[in-house]
């Protein structure tokens, strides 16, 4: 019982007032983003709002990090556009999205049990920089249609006419977006008690209603919630807006599910690191991975989007005193209550207000410090960042996960080349023998530099190869050493290997190496 009391005190009952108030503020900040990310994915606003509600409630109970906010996010929404577009109707597109979310959750639970978090520690900073820069640009590009950029009015479907501004509406939309940006960046200089994004939404909505501006609003995007979410099963007959439970469906949702599961966990772990550092505490990333998986399954089961941790809202929650699970729970509950009670007002929010918020999110997401200091950063890190960014942007649809894989692969190659050059071969003579002293790591990449250190055309009577300051890592290293021994012996020299450490000696003898004089 004492352990349970300790758990409640630490996770739920610590400073309840601050945590509840912080959760309320965070809920306001989650509404515009959940709606905006629904638009990016191509589904009704209620899908993002239900997702934000279900994710927050579930992660508050099963998550590995206290006070962290999980909701629909830009990184995951961008990866959903392909599966939504795979449906012949909006209903089928939603079913594909829900099925993708369910599979994403199962993958993340699997990654948690496979301790994927420990492997994430080896992701270089250049990859993270390229990842966030690509994500920032993709979020910014996703706002083009709402800014009237790239719209061909003649090709718009009937149900899309009200979603985007027409030619005569574009100047009004741009004006409101600029005003929103001024409010978002200027209001914090007056006070930070109320989130500036919320102030921008309220003022722009008031202007839109007062002046009866004919511009796209949230209600034009689709249906807003009427009540609490209900269970949603995505599998069934196509004529009912469902998708079949077969290999064909798996082929559509599998790539997206893998990408979302990995990208979502990467952003979640990054957020965890930020909060761990800010609070001088530690949290279990593998438990968080399993918790994110469970939350995404619950969210999908109730018709919501899959998501991950939100950096901005999580930092906001921590700064406002939301350090327990109660703040996360409060944010989720408050979110749904506000959606239901304020539905008419939410539907009247002009899309221009959400665009201004998404632009600020894209700017805050980008690694601006890294871009500003790019000349000071090692060229190898810059190359890794560019590779991650380029692969993400050039793939169709844009694939953040593939970009990360490409960046990690390039980083591994560049690192191997650096390590390869560390190995040195020093030749000395002592009376009637030649001594080769090896220093460094001998493996498949350093093999060539190792071989170049020997004079194979010289065949003294006795040769000693001193490996006391070296280590053999793989079969390539063993083969290289055997090659040197064989060539010297073929020339009439007596070769002696000394100084092999235990691991190198075992590997050398196990792979058929010649007996050493150890």
């Amino acid at each position: 019982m004492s352990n349970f009391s300790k758990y409640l005190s630490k996770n739920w009952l610590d400073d309840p007032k601050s945590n509840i108030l912080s959760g309320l503020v965070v809920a306001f900040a989650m509404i515009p983003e959940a709606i905006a990310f629904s638009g990016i994915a191509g589904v009704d606003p209620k899908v993002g709002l239900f997702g934000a509600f279900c994710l927050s409630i579930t992660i508050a109970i099963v998550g590995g990090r206290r006070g962290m906010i999980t909701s629909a996010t830009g990184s995951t929404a961008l990866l959903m556009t392909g599966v939504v577009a795979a449906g012949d109707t909006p209903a089928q597109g939603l079913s594909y999205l829900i099925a993708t979310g369910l599979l994403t959750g199962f993958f993340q639970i699997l990654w948690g049990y496979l301790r994927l978090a420990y492997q994430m520690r080896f992701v270089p900073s250049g990859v993270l920089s390229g990842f966030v820069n690509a994500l920032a640009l993709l979020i910014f590009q996703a706002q083009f249609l709402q800014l009237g950029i790239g719209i061909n009015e003649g090709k718009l479907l009937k149900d899309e006419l009200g979603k985007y501004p027409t030619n005569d509406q574009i100047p009004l939309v741009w004006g409101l977006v600029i005003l929103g940006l001024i409010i978002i960046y200027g209001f914090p200089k007056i006070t930070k008690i109320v989130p500036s994004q919320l102030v921008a939404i309220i003022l722009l909505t008031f202007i839109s209603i007062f002046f009866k501006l004919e511009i796209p609003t949230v209600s034009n995007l689709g249906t807003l919630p009427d009540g609490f979410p209900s269970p949603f099963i995505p599998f069934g007959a196509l004529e009912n807006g469902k998708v079949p439970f077969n290999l064909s469906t798996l082929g559509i949702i599998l790539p997206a599910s893998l990408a979302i599961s990995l990208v979502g966990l990467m952003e979640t772990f990054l957020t965890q690191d930020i909060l761990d550092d800010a609070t001088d505490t530690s949290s279990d990333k593998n438990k968080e991975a399993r918790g994110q998986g469970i939350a995404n399954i619950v969210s999908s089961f109730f018709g919501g989007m899959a998501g991950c941790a939100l950096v901005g809202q999580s930092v906001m929650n921590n700064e406002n005193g939301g350090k327990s699970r109660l703040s996360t729970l409060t944010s989720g509950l408050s979110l749904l209550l506000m959606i239901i009670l304020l539905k008419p007002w939410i539907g009247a929010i002009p899309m221009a207000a959400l665009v201004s918020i998404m632009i600020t999110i894209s700017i805050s997401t980008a690694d601006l410090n890294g871009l500003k200091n790019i000349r000071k950063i090692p060229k190898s890190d810059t190359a890794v960042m560019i590779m991650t960014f380029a692969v993400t942007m050039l793939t169709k649809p844009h694939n953040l996960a593939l970009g990360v894989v490409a960046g990690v692969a390039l980083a591994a190659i560049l690192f191997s080349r650096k390590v390869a050059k560390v190995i040195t071969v020093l030749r000395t003579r002592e009376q009637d023998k030649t001594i080769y002293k090896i220093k460094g790591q001998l493996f498949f990449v350093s093999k060539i530099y190792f071989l170049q250190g020997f004079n194979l055309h010289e065949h003294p009577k006795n040769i000693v190869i001193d490996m006391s300051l070296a280590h053999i890592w793989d079969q390539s290293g063993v083969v290289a050493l055997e090659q040197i021994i064989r060539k010297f012996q073929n020339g009439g020299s007596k070769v002696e290997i000394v100084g092999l450490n235990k691991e190198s000696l075992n590997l050398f003898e196990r792979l058929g190496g010649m007996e050493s004089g150890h």
Side-chain angles (χ1 to χ4, degrees):
M1 187 65 185
S2 59
N3 289 336
F4 181 68
S5 298
K6 186 177 180 180
Y7 166 80
L8 286 178
S9 176
K10 183 179 181 179
N11 288 275
W12 294 95
L13 303 179
D14 182 29
D15 193 8
K17 179 181 177 181
S18 296
N19 280 277
I20 291 173
L21 290 176
S22 180
L24 283 168
V25 173
V26 169
F28 276 106
M30 289 167 67
I31 291 175
E33 290 192 11
I35 295 172
F37 293 141
S38 299
I40 289 176
V43 293
D44 287 344
K46 70 176 183 180
V47 180
L49 293 169
F50 280 161
F53 163 72
C54 294
L55 289 166
S56 295
I57 298 298
T58 309
I59 207 67
I61 300 169
V62 300
R65 166 78 230 181
R66 301 188 303 275
M68 191 160 71
I69 304 300
T70 293
S71 180
T73 63
S75 58
T76 55
L78 286 165
L79 295 170
M80 296 173 187
T81 56
V83 292
V84 173
D88 294 330
T89 64
Q92 287 179 19
L94 175 60
S95 294
Y96 276 124
L97 182 142
I98 299 303
T100 300
L102 291 170
L103 188 56
T104 295
F106 284 114
F107 275 132
Q108 289 180 327
I109 293 173
L110 177 62
W111 303 149
Y113 281 110
L114 292 178
R115 306 173 77 83
L116 181 67
Y118 292 112
Q119 311 308 318
M120 289 287 192
R121 295 178 300 174
F122 302 109
V123 176
S125 57
V127 173
L128 293 176
S129 179
F131 169 80
V132 296
N133 287 332
L135 175 59
L137 182 56
L138 290 174
I139 291 174
F140 182 74
Q141 285 184 339
Q143 310 313 308
F144 282 1
L145 290 178
Q146 288 297 342
L147 289 169
I149 300 174
I151 292 180
N152 186 336
E153 292 186 30
K155 291 186 178 181
L156 287 178
L157 299 176
K158 186 177 180 180
D159 59 348
E160 292 179 330
L161 290 175
K163 289 184 179 181
Y164 310 116
T166 53
N167 288 332
D168 57 334
Q169 296 173 338
I170 291 175
L172 283 174
V173 169
W174 277 76
L176 288 178
V177 169
I178 293 171
L179 178 59
L181 291 172
I182 293 172
I183 295 170
I184 291 171
Y185 286 116
F187 192 76
K189 297 179 180 179
I190 301 173
T191 179
K192 294 183 179 180
I193 296 177
V194 182
S196 60
Q197 295 95 332
L198 180 62
V199 175
I201 288 174
I202 293 173
L203 288 179
L204 295 187
T205 302
F206 174 78
I207 291 172
S208 177
I209 294 174
F210 184 80
F211 291 101
K212 299 180 180 179
L213 301 180
E214 295 292 332
I215 55 176
T217 63
V218 168
S219 60
N220 293 125
L221 288 182
T223 309
L224 287 168
D226 290 316
F228 288 88
S230 57
F232 184 98
I233 304 298
F235 304 109
L238 289 173
E239 57 269 22
N240 295 327
K242 306 293 184 178
V243 294
F245 186 77
N246 56 23
L247 291 178
S248 176
T249 297
L250 181 63
I252 293 172
I253 68 174
L254 180 60
S257 298
L258 279 170
I260 294 169
S261 69
L262 294 172
V263 169
L265 287 185
M266 180 174 289
E267 188 168 349
T268 296
F269 294 156
L270 176 63
T271 306
Q272 264 187 286
D273 287 337
I274 292 172
L275 292 183
D276 286 351
D277 182 63
T279 59
D280 196 23
T281 58
S282 60
S283 55
D284 188 339
K285 286 186 171 64
N286 290 304
K287 181 180 179 182
E288 183 65 36
R290 297 191 294 270
Q292 291 285 329
I294 294 170
N296 279 323
I297 290 173
V298 171
S299 173
S300 300
F301 181 73
F302 284 100
M305 292 171 62
C308 63
L310 286 166
V311 178
Q313 277 77 354
S314 296
V315 172
M316 177 195 298
N317 188 43
N318 178 70
E319 291 177 348
N320 290 337
K323 294 179 170 58
S324 78
R325 297 179 185 275
L326 182 60
S327 62
T328 309
L329 181 70
T330 302
S331 68
L333 290 173
S334 303
L335 174 69
L336 189 66
L337 290 175
M338 284 188 281
I339 294 168
I340 295 172
L341 297 176
L342 304 177
K343 179 181 175 181
W345 293 98
I346 291 175
I349 296 173
M351 288 303 300
L354 301 185
V355 169
S356 64
I357 290 173
M358 296 309 297
I359 290 174
T360 62
I361 289 173
S362 68
I363 294 172
S364 62
T365 298
D367 181 18
L368 298 179
N369 186 55
L371 293 173
K372 185 170 61 177
N373 297 306
I374 195 166
R375 292 184 178 180
K376 301 178 182 178
I377 297 172
K379 292 182 179 179
S380 58
D381 289 348
T382 301
V384 169
M385 184 270 287
I386 293 173
M387 172 65 83
T388 305
F389 179 85
V391 171
T392 299
M393 298 307 299
L394 294 175
T395 49
K396 298 292 182 183
H398 301 296
N399 195 321
L400 287 160
L402 191 59
V404 170
V405 171
V408 171
L410 179 60
I413 293 171
L414 295 176
F415 174 75
S416 297
R417 290 185 62 186
K418 288 181 181 179
V419 172
K421 296 179 181 179
V422 172
I423 197 166
T424 57
V425 180
L426 180 65
R427 184 178 62 171
T428 59
R429 289 183 179 274
E430 289 186 9
Q431 298 176 352
D432 63 340
K433 63 182 177 182
T434 298
I435 300 175
Y436 287 93
K437 196 171 186 67
I438 317 301
K439 182 179 181 181
Q441 313 302 313
L442 181 55
F443 65 118
F444 70 98
V445 177
S446 62
K447 171 183 174 181
I448 185 67
Y449 299 97
F450 172 76
L451 294 174
Q452 290 173 352
F454 292 88
N455 186 352
L456 299 176
H457 302 293
E458 181 183 65
H459 299 285
K461 184 177 181 181
N462 296 300
I463 294 177
V464 176
I465 301 177
D466 185 358
M467 302 286 292
S468 56
L469 297 178
H471 186 92
I472 303 176
W473 286 100
D474 61 7
Q475 185 180 7
S476 295
V478 172
V479 170
L481 184 56
E482 282 186 322
Q483 184 178 341
I484 293 296
I485 295 170
R486 185 176 63 255
K487 289 191 175 184
F488 277 136
Q489 287 181 336
N490 290 342
S493 300
K494 180 183 177 182
V495 182
E496 182 182 12
I497 309 296
V498 299
L500 278 173
N501 58 40
K502 184 178 179 180
E503 293 82 3
S504 299
L505 179 62
N506 288 340
L507 181 64
F508 188 72
E509 293 180 342
R510 188 170 70 250
L511 297 179
M514 305 180 78
E515 291 187 7
S516 72
H518 194 283

